[in-house]
C-alpha cells in the first residue's frame, strides 16, 4: 500500500493512524461483533462514542459549559441559513465581513432572511487581505457580526479576532478550526464543515453559546433550530454516526500529537516552508497580504500561467495530488491541513524547485 501526498481542499487528507484504527475496528468494534456503522445511535456503545468525541473536542479547545457543542448535517452551507434564522431575532438584521468566496455565499444566504450590513469588503481589492479592526464599520444594532476566519479558496486568514462590543461574534471556521489554539470565549457561535480538519464529509460542528438559543424566527422547522438539537444532544434524528465516530478518532489523534499548540507549531513550519519556496524567485507568486497568508490553504500562480496544467500533471505523476486551484481563481492551491505531514510539504517544495529548474 502506498499513500500519496494529498493536498485536497476538502474532503481532505485524514491522519493515516486514524484510518488504520478505523480499519482495525471496521468489522468488529471493540469485541462487540459489529461495525460502528451498524450500531443504533441510541445504543450505550454508540452514545459512549459520541459523548467521548464531544468531551475530547471540549478538552482540545477548552470549551466551557456555557456552550453547546452540536454535531449536525447539511454542511457549513446549511449554517449560512441556520445562523440567521436562529440569531437574527425580531430586528432581522446582521453584519457581515466579506473576504472571499465563502463569506459571499454566507451573505447571499443571510439576505434571504433579513437586512445584511457589510462591515467591510475586500472584493474591490481582489480578496487579497483581511480588513483590520479599524477598517470595520461596526453596527451596534446588528444581531451579530459574521466573518470567515480563513477563506479556503483565496487563502486569506484573519490574524486577529474582531472586537465587536456587545454584538455577538459568529465565525465560519470550516478551513482553519483545530489548526491552532483558539480562545472560544471570544466567540458566540463557531461553525465548521468537518471535511478539512475534523473528519470525513457529512458532519458539521457548531459551538454555540447557550444563552443565544431559543429565539428562532417563527415557523422554523425543528431541524433548523439549534435549541432543538442542543436539547436532543444532536440526536434529534439519526446523526451521521460513522462520521461522528471518525471525528472522535481525529480528536484523540490531535490530543496524542500534543494538542493544538503542537499542531500550530507544525502547521506554521509547513506553511513557512511553502511560502519560502513560492517567494524564492519570480517563478511562483502568492497575492495575499503577508500577515493574512493562510497557514492552511496556500494558493499560488506561475508567472507563465500556461505552465500550470503541466505543473499539476507532473505533480500527480510524482504522487502529489489535488494541487489544481479552485475553478473560480485558477492557479495552484496546496491545502496543508493538520493531517498533511511535513514530509508531504517537503516533497512538494522539492518538486517545485525541480519543476522551476526544468521550465523556468
Ligand atoms: N465555508 C468554508 C470556509 C468552506 O471552505 C466551505 C467548503 N469548502 C464551506 C463553507 C461550505 O462547506 P460545505 O461544503 O460543508 O457546505
Amino acid at each position: 500500500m502506498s499513500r500519496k501526498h494529498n493536498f485536497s481542499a476538502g474532503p481532505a487528507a485524514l491522519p493515516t493512524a486514524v484510518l488504520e484504527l478505523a480499519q482495525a475496528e471496521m468489522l468488529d468494534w471493540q469485541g462487540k461483533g459489529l461495525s460502528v456503522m451498524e450500531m443504533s445511535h441510541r445504543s450505550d456503545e454508540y452514545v459512549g462514542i459520541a459523548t467521548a468525541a464531544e468531551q475530547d473536542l471540549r478538552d482540545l479547545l477548552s470549551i466551557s459549559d456555557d456552550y453547546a457543542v452540536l454535531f449536525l448535517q447539511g454542511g457549513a452551507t446549511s449554517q449560512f441559513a441556520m445562523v440567521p434564522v436562529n440569531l437574527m431575532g425580531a430586528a432581522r438584521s446582521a453584519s457581515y465581513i466579506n473576504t472571499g468566496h465563502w463569506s459571499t455565499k454566507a451573505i447571499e444566504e443571510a439576505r434571504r432572511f433579513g437586512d445584511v450590513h457589510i462591515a467591510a469588503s475586500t472584493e474591490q481589492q481582489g480578496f487579497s487581505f483581511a480588513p483590520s479592526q479599524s477598517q470595520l464599520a461596526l453596527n451596534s444594532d446588528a444581531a451579530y457580526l459574521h466573518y470567515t476566519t480563513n477563506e479556503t479558496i483565496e487563502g486569506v486568514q484573519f490574524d486577529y479576532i474582531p472586537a465587536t462590543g456587545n454584538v455577538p461574534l459568529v465565525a465560519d471556521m470550516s478551513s482553519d478550526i483545530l489548526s491552532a489554539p483558539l480562545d472560544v470565549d471570544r466567540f458566540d457561535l463557531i461553525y465548521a464543515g468537518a471535511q478539512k480538519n475534523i473528519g470525513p464529509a457529512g458532519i458539521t460542528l457548531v459551538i454555540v453559546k447557550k444563552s443565544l438559543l431559543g429565539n428562532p424566527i417563527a415557523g422554523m422547522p425543528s431541524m433548523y433550530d439549534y435549541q432543538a438539537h442542543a436539547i436532543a444532544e444532536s440526536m434529534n434524528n439519526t446523526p451521521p454516526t460513522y462520521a461522528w465516530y471518525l471525528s472522535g478518532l481525529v480528536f484523540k489523534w490531535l490530543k496524542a500529537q500534543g494538542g493544538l499548540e503542537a499542531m500550530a507549531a507544525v502547521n506554521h513550519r509547513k506553511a513557512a516552508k511553502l511560502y519560502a519556496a513560492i517567494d524564492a524567485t519570480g517563478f511562483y507568486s502568492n497575492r495575499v497580504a503577508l500577515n493574512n497568508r493562510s497557514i492552511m490553504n496556500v494558493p499560488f500562480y506561475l508567472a507563465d500561467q500556461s505552465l500550470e496544467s503541466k505543473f499539476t500533471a507532473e505533480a500527480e505523476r510524482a504522487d502529489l495530488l489535488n494541487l489544481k486551484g479552485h475553478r473560480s481563481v485558477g492557479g495552484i492551491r496546496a491545502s496543508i491541513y493538520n493531517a498533511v505531514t511535513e514530509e508531504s510539504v517537503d516533497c512538494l517544495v522539492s518538486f517545485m524547485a525541480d519543476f522551476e529548474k526544468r521550465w523556468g
Side-chain angles (χ1 to χ4, degrees):
M1 185 201 65
S2 78
R3 282 177 53 76
K4 300 184 180 181
H5 307 287
N6 184 4
F7 299 96
S8 170
L14 284 162
T16 301
V18 164
L19 295 177
E20 284 170 346
L21 181 55
Q23 181 183 44
E25 295 185 332
M26 171 69 80
L27 296 184
D28 177 8
W29 182 80
Q30 299 193 3
K32 298 290 176 187
L34 77 176
S35 160
V36 173
M37 268 180 269
E38 304 166 301
M39 288 178 185
S40 163
H41 58 294
R42 309 278 180 207
S43 65
D44 289 347
E45 289 82 3
Y46 191 77
V47 170
I49 290 170
T51 310
E54 178 177 333
Q55 190 56 53
D56 286 331
L57 181 72
R58 284 184 181 273
D59 296 346
L60 281 166
L61 287 169
S62 302
I63 304 172
S64 81
D65 283 343
D66 294 343
Y67 293 82
V69 173
L70 309 176
F71 293 89
L72 305 180
Q73 302 189 52
T77 302
S78 282
Q79 295 311 310
F80 296 164
M82 275 181 87
V83 165
V85 296
N86 280 274
L87 304 188
M88 263 191 181
R92 293 282 187 104
S93 82
S95 286
Y96 279 70
I97 303 175
N98 189 4
T99 48
H101 179 94
W102 292 110
S103 25
T104 301
K105 291 266 185 205
I107 289 164
E108 282 168 5
E109 191 70 7
R111 286 203 167 116
R112 297 160 60 98
F113 304 102
D115 292 332
V116 170
H117 156 256
I118 303 297
S121 172
T122 58
E123 188 172 7
Q124 295 302 321
Q125 293 84 21
F127 293 133
S128 55
F129 66 99
S132 64
Q133 177 74 44
S134 63
Q135 291 172 314
L136 302 180
L138 295 172
N139 172 5
S140 56
D141 294 331
Y144 58 85
L145 174 77
H146 176 286
Y147 80 116
T148 307
T149 52
N150 183 66
E151 287 283 357
T152 319
I153 292 175
E154 292 84 357
V156 173
Q157 188 170 30
F158 273 78
D159 59 345
Y160 74 102
I161 298 172
T164 57
N166 291 329
V167 175
L169 183 60
V170 174
D172 175 357
M173 293 194 190
S174 294
S175 49
D176 66 352
I177 194 159
L178 299 174
S179 62
L182 177 71
D183 186 358
V184 172
D185 288 331
R186 297 279 303 274
F187 297 86
D188 294 83
L189 190 149
I190 291 166
Y191 64 90
Q195 63 273 19
K196 300 151 196 313
N197 257 347
I198 296 175
I203 196 159
T204 311
L205 175 69
V206 176
I207 302 167
V208 56
K209 219 173 231 174
K210 290 173 184 167
S211 59
L212 281 184
L213 302 181
N215 191 25
I217 62 172
M220 174 123 84
S222 58
M223 281 301 284
Y224 270 68
D225 181 354
Y226 289 131
Q227 190 169 45
H229 289 290
I231 290 169
E233 297 181 327
S234 307
M235 296 207 192
N236 206 5
N237 71 329
T238 315
T241 51
Y242 200 73
W244 192 338
Y245 152 78
L246 268 178
S247 303
L249 296 187
V250 171
F251 301 151
K252 283 209 192 308
W253 177 82
L254 286 170
K255 281 179 147 181
Q257 305 307 300
L260 300 185
E261 273 181 30
M263 291 318 298
V266 180
N267 285 330
H268 281 286
R269 239 182 8 246
K270 281 152 50 183
K273 282 181 178 178
L274 195 42
Y275 285 113
I278 292 166
D279 294 341
T281 65
F283 189 76
Y284 303 105
S285 70
N286 167 280
R287 299 171 182 172
V288 177
L290 290 182
N291 59 319
N292 296 128
R293 283 176 157 190
S294 170
I295 63 163
M296 293 280 102
N297 307 98
V298 181
F300 58 95
Y301 295 89
L302 274 67
D304 176 358
Q305 294 200 0
S306 70
L307 286 174
E308 283 171 357
S309 56
K310 199 182 294 294
F311 180 95
T312 49
E314 286 194 13
E316 200 166 322
R317 285 200 290 279
D319 292 346
L320 303 159
L321 308 184
N322 296 313
L323 285 164
K324 195 170 169 1
H326 190 269
R327 60 189 182 282
S328 62
V329 293
I332 313 291
R333 172 175 53 168
S335 294
I336 49 173
Y337 301 119
N338 286 338
V340 177
T341 63
E342 197 160 350
E343 186 213 337
S344 289
V345 173
D346 290 341
C347 288
L348 173 58
V349 165
S350 51
F351 171 81
M352 287 167 67
D354 180 61
F355 187 86
E356 181 175 347
K357 210 176 288 165
R358 286 182 290 110
W359 297 100

